[in-house]
Structures are given as C-alpha cells and as structure tokens.
Amino acid sequence: MIAGPLRRPAFARLWAAGLVSEIGDWLLLVALPVYVLQLTGSALVTSTVLMLELAAAVLAGPLAGVVADRWDRRRTLVGASFAQAVLLLPLLAVDGRADLWILYAVTAVEATLATVNEPVRQALLPAVVPGDELVAATGQLGIAANLARLVGGALGGLLLETTGLGGVVLGDVITFLLAAAVLAGRSALGPAPARGAPAEPAERAVGAWLAGLAVVRNEPRLRGTLAVTALMALAQGAFVVLFVVFVLRRLDGGGSEVGLLRGVQAIGGVLGGLLVARLTRVPPRALVAVGLLAYAAGDAAIWNGPAVSTALPLYVVLFIAVGLPIVATSAGLTAVLLTSTPDRFRGRVAATHAGVFGVLQAAGMLLAGVLVE
C-alpha cells in the first residue's frame, strides 16, 4: 500500500511528471557542456554554456512567476513540457563549431522553459495535498529530483558516448513528451485551486511581479525564507567552486573523484526525502533549523577531514550524509513559503526566491574563486 501524499492520484501524477521532466533537464545539463568541450576543446566556451543556462533562468524568473499565477497551472506544465520537446529539435542540425549559435539559442530557450516549471509545480502543491502533508509532499518531490539527477546524469553521458548529440536530443524529447502526457486531461490534477480576484486587464507583467514582491515584503515569514534562501545560495555557490579545489588539492583526486562525490550526494537526497516524508509532525521551521545545523556540521567534517584521513571512502560517506539535510531544509522552506503565501501569488513568490538563489549562487561562485586565489 502506498503511504503519504503519493497515494493521492493528483500528487502522484505531479510527482511522476516532475521526475520525468527533470531527467530530461539533466540529460542536457550533463551532455551539452561535454559536447561543447569535445567540439571546441575550449573550457572558456564550455563555461559560457553553463553561464547562459544560469542567466536565462534568472532573467526568466519574474516572468515565470507571473505566468504561474495568471495561467491555468496544469495547462502551463503541459504546454511547457511539449514546447521543450519541440524546441529541442534544432539541435539535430548542429554539426560543427559554425552551428554553435543554434546550441546557444536552444540552451537559453530550454533553461527559460525549465524555469517556468518549478514555480508552477510548487504553486500547485496546496491544490493536490492537504496542508498537513505539505512537508511530506515536498520531501517526496526532493526524492524525485535526486532520482532524476542520478538517472538523467548517467543517461546523458551514456547517450552522448554511444549515440552522439542526436541520441541525447531524441531521448530528451521522449522525456518531455511523457511528462506532458502524464499531466494531460482535465482531471489529472483534480479541481482547479481557488483563486483570488482576477487581475485587471490593464495590469502589466511588471506590475504583477511588483505585487508579488510586495507580498514578500509585507509578510515576516516570507522575508525570513528569502533571507535564508539568499544565505544558502551564497554557500552553495561557494561550495561548487571550493569542492573542486578541495578534491584536486586536498584529496589529490581527479575528474573521476569529482564526478563520484557529486553523484553520491543524490543518494543522500533520496534518503533524506524518505526521512522527511515520515516527519509529518515536525514543524517546518524546526525542520529548516535542524537541517541547516546538520548541513553545517557535515560541511565542517568534510573540509577538516584531511587532518584525519584523505581516504576516498570516508568522503563518499560524508557526501552521502550531507545530501540528507539539504532535502530536509528545502522541504521545510517550501512548506513555510506555501502556507504563508496567498494562492494567487504563490508562483511569483516562488519565482522570486528562485531568482534570488540564482543571482547569489553566481555571486558565491565568484567570491569563492577570489578568496581561493
């Protein structure tokens, strides 16, 4: 018997669609930088692909939030997944350095559409699960995200090696079409969520976005979640840079060790999601506090570990361990955000948090690079 929110058909569909869609996101995230590096031999050109994905996501964030609150959310998810599938097809024409502009254009469009999916999915949660199951539901979405990372990351590299970029594109198209199919049908996600008063026809997107910012400004709990999100983003950005330096310089590792340790963190994420799904009576804010303390303790153990040992198995265990509190913290923050935001603003508030995270994550990367030097 299926326990928790997954026993609810509407949430199960949302969970399955998110899993399949994020597998498609990871296929591209892993395969495209590798393909560009193989094609050009330039680390600089390869880095521009990663920065383009981040920039497109950050710039599209405000619009994604407005879309999540203005349009039918189920239809938005279906339409975005279908558009992702169709707009991948130009990559089949890439055959050399002269075609890189096609790859850049597709990367920007796909990152923008992926940015639309996340706030819409979050905003839908209160419509498909009751309030006392929000923490468990966000934990199970965390399981899906980490499973997608494990499957999509490995599959992206495998498809690129065995079938080339064309195989990656076709595999990705299939995942997005499957995600759209799972959510198709008027009753796929149950009744439409209750809405506030409709926006005035003359209200423009900028005004709608500013209205969402006003909700964050006027609600103390949302100001708190935004502050925590900002600090976590700085830390995560710094971690991405420091992690590579740490493995290469402190553990005397190489590319394979970097890939292994980044991958096993997803195992901890899956375990963390399973644990959070059972912590239905823990207040979300307590879950955030405990998760952050546990994450800090895990980071301290990792950075200071070489004083004891540089044996790789020790760090495999530590990186799996820090994956657990990441999911717990995220689940608690999401639950606070959703319960503190009126339904008609949930997409914009979620997108605001995502945009702040993206900008400050990039700042954390740059800051860590400067400090290391």
Side-chain angles (χ1 to χ4, degrees):
M1 182 177 179
I2 299 175
L6 279 174
R7 73 183 185 279
R8 302 181 183 279
F11 177 75
R13 284 178 177 267
L14 189 65
W15 185 91
L19 171 64
V20 176
S21 178
E22 289 189 48
I23 287 175
D25 292 338
W26 275 99
L27 283 175
L28 280 190
L29 186 64
V30 169
L32 285 188
V34 174
Y35 176 79
V36 171
L37 184 60
Q38 292 174 341
L39 182 66
T40 67
S42 170
L44 178 61
V45 175
T46 303
S47 69
T48 61
V49 176
L50 298 172
M51 291 304 295
L52 183 61
E53 289 178 343
L54 180 60
V58 169
L59 293 174
L63 176 62
V66 174
V67 167
D69 291 332
R70 284 262 187 105
W71 297 359
D72 180 279
R73 290 167 181 162
R74 179 191 62 80
R75 290 180 180 177
T76 299
L77 285 178
V78 173
S81 295
F82 185 76
Q84 282 182 289
V86 172
L87 295 174
L88 277 171
L89 296 178
L91 285 179
L92 295 174
V94 175
D95 192 37
R97 295 190 64 153
D99 299 322
L100 278 179
W101 68 271
I102 300 176
L103 188 144
Y104 286 142
V106 171
T107 297
V109 170
E110 292 293 325
T112 300
L113 290 170
T115 301
V116 171
N117 280 334
E118 188 56 31
V120 175
R121 197 178 294 125
Q122 281 194 22
L124 269 169
L125 270 183
V128 297
V129 296
D132 61 352
E133 292 185 2
L134 274 178
V135 170
T138 52
Q140 288 178 341
L141 288 180
I143 294 175
N146 282 282
L147 286 175
R149 176 178 173 178
L150 285 171
V151 175
L155 190 58
L158 178 63
L159 285 175
L160 186 63
E161 284 291 321
T162 57
T163 65
L165 183 61
V168 174
V169 171
L170 293 178
D172 214 0
V173 167
I174 291 172
T175 65
F176 291 133
L177 290 178
L178 282 175
V182 168
L183 294 175
R186 290 181 178 274
S187 61
L189 297 180
R195 298 279 185 174
E200 292 295 327
E203 184 184 16
R204 298 185 181 275
V206 172
W209 176 59
L210 291 175
L213 292 181
V215 172
V216 176
R217 183 189 65 223
N218 295 329
E219 172 53 60
R221 287 173 295 182
L222 292 179
R223 294 200 301 269
T225 58
L226 191 62
V228 172
T229 297
L231 291 171
M232 288 176 62
L234 280 172
Q236 178 64 22
F239 184 92
V240 169
V241 175
L242 295 174
F243 161 72
V244 177
V245 176
F246 175 78
V247 174
L248 297 182
R249 297 185 184 177
R250 295 287 185 263
L251 302 185
D252 295 322
S256 59
E257 286 79 11
V258 170
L260 172 65
L261 294 177
R262 285 292 283 174
V264 297
Q265 207 170 10
I267 298 174
V270 172
L271 297 175
L274 292 171
L275 177 63
V276 168
R278 295 180 175 274
L279 300 178
T280 55
R281 296 186 179 181
V282 178
R285 286 186 290 181
L287 197 61
V288 173
V290 172
L292 288 174
L293 287 172
Y295 193 17
D299 272 359
I302 290 171
W303 301 137
N304 293 283
V308 178
S309 172
T310 58
L312 186 62
L314 169 64
Y315 296 92
V316 170
V317 172
L318 288 174
F319 272 84
I320 290 175
V322 297
L324 277 77
I326 293 173
V327 172
T329 303
S330 177
L333 275 176
T334 302
V336 174
L337 184 153
L338 292 175
T339 55
S340 304
T341 309
D343 177 72
R344 66 186 293 251
F345 291 103
R346 282 183 179 134
R348 280 166 281 181
V349 171
T352 297
H353 281 67
V356 167
F357 190 94
V359 171
L360 290 180
Q361 184 180 29
M365 292 178 185
L366 293 174
L367 179 62
V370 171
L371 292 175
V372 167
E373 290 304 316

